[in-house]
Amino acid sequence: EVQMVESGGGLLQPGGSLRLSCVASGFTFSSYSMNWVRQAPGKGLEWVSCISSSCDTITYADSVKGRFTISRDNAKNSLYLQMNSLRDDDTAVYYCAYSSSDRRWFDPWGQGTLVTVSS
Amino acid sequence: QSALTQPRSVSGSPGQSVTISCTGTSSDVGGYNSVSWYQQHPGKAPKLMIYDVTKRPSGVPDRFSGSKSGNTASLTISGLQDEDEADYYCCSYAGRYTYVFGTGTKVSVL
């Protein structure tokens, strides 16, 4: 059974930093791209970032470019999101999901981890 | 990276059919057969309902179907049931390892 477990969320002030983690199981982690998707309270889903299986391609949504850094550790089946210069509008539940060139959809979804940015 | 456009809400009576549109551009919806749809009940994580425009994952009722014409994808729910009341989001691959989601549609069962 494929499973994604996100962690690392919390409450912090604007301008702060936080590192999210996602541990994946049930599939060959090193063979797939990994993504972060977020959802602000009461708002829609927003794709945030993607890292290819070998880390040679990394992409970001314009809303986080220059502030967030995605990384992965294939030996630990783990995905990370380093979030710097956090703003109020980064408040959201953050989900991780895997994809590939012939699997361009997100399934399953974990429970997500809540990041709240507030003064 | 503009969000795909969906109607804010659609509604129907039990047993009726509703269709949700998802309009993008030739750089996303129109450029790839990689549109997926997600159902989300309040307080829950999204659930995949359709992938690759028309394909249904195992366990998803066949009253859910997807299609695409040009830059617009659609999700149709036939034989609407009470449990179908939820938010629905489309998503499209947009090239070079990027994705874009739709603005979301609230489906109400009258």
Side-chain angles (χ1 to χ4, degrees):
Chain A
E1 178 192 8
V2 174
Q3 201 170 12
M4 310 288 182
V5 179
E6 302 93 344
S7 63
L11 172 63
L12 62 163
Q13 295 186 335
S17 297
L18 199 62
R19 189 195 197 205
L20 305 184
S21 298
C22 165
V23 177
S25 60
F27 66 102
T28 306
F29 183 83
S30 59
S31 297
Y32 290 89
S33 298
M34 292 298 297
N35 301 264
W36 287 100
V37 176
R38 70 182 180 182
Q39 186 171 35
K43 303 296 184 181
L45 298 168
E46 179 186 19
W47 172 82
V48 172
S49 182
C50 179
I51 183 168
S52 63
S53 58
S54 57
C55 304
D56 55 355
T57 300
I58 290 176
T59 55
Y60 298 97
D62 290 343
S63 57
V64 306
K65 200 172 295 182
R67 301 186 299 120
F68 290 10
T69 301
I70 191 172
S71 62
R72 64 189 294 163
D73 185 338
N74 287 342
K76 295 182 178 180
N77 282 8
S78 294
L79 175 72
Y80 307 102
L81 187 67
Q82 178 66 42
M83 310 165 67
N84 298 331
S85 303
L86 282 162
R87 311 186 304 218
D88 290 353
D89 61 1
D90 293 318
T91 295
V93 175
Y94 286 74
Y95 299 96
C96 63
Y98 74 109
S99 63
S100 69
S101 59
D102 57 359
R103 195 183 190 284
R104 291 172 175 165
W105 61 86
F106 304 126
D107 178 67
W109 296 66
Q111 84 290 345
T113 187
L114 176 62
V115 174
T116 303
V117 183
S118 175
S119 53
Chain B
Q1 294 185 347
S2 298
L4 307 176
T5 300
Q6 298 180 230
R8 185 174 295 271
S9 64
V10 299
S11 61
S13 300
Q16 288 188 329
S17 294
V18 296
T19 297
I20 303 168
S21 61
C22 169
T23 301
T25 70
S26 58
S27 297
D28 38 63
V29 175
Y32 306 92
N33 287 321
S34 300
V35 176
S36 52
W37 289 90
Y38 303 87
Q39 176 192 66
Q40 187 177 36
H41 287 108
K44 301 294 187 181
K47 175 187 176 184
L48 177 70
M49 304 302 283
I50 295 287
Y51 66 97
D52 286 352
V53 179
T54 63
K55 299 176 182 176
R56 224 174 20 254
S58 172
V60 172
D62 60 7
R63 64 178 183 275
F64 290 87
S65 62
S67 63
K68 191 185 85 166
S69 177
N71 296 338
T72 298
S74 298
L75 173 71
T76 298
I77 309 174
S78 305
L80 199 60
Q81 297 188 8
D82 289 345
E83 59 262 36
D84 299 334
E85 184 162 294
D87 293 325
Y88 291 82
Y89 297 91
C90 61
C91 180
S92 176
Y93 182 68
R96 292 177 293 172
Y97 290 81
T98 67
Y99 293 82
V100 59
F101 279 92
T103 50
T105 298
K106 180 175 180 58
V107 171
S108 298
V109 181
L110 303 175

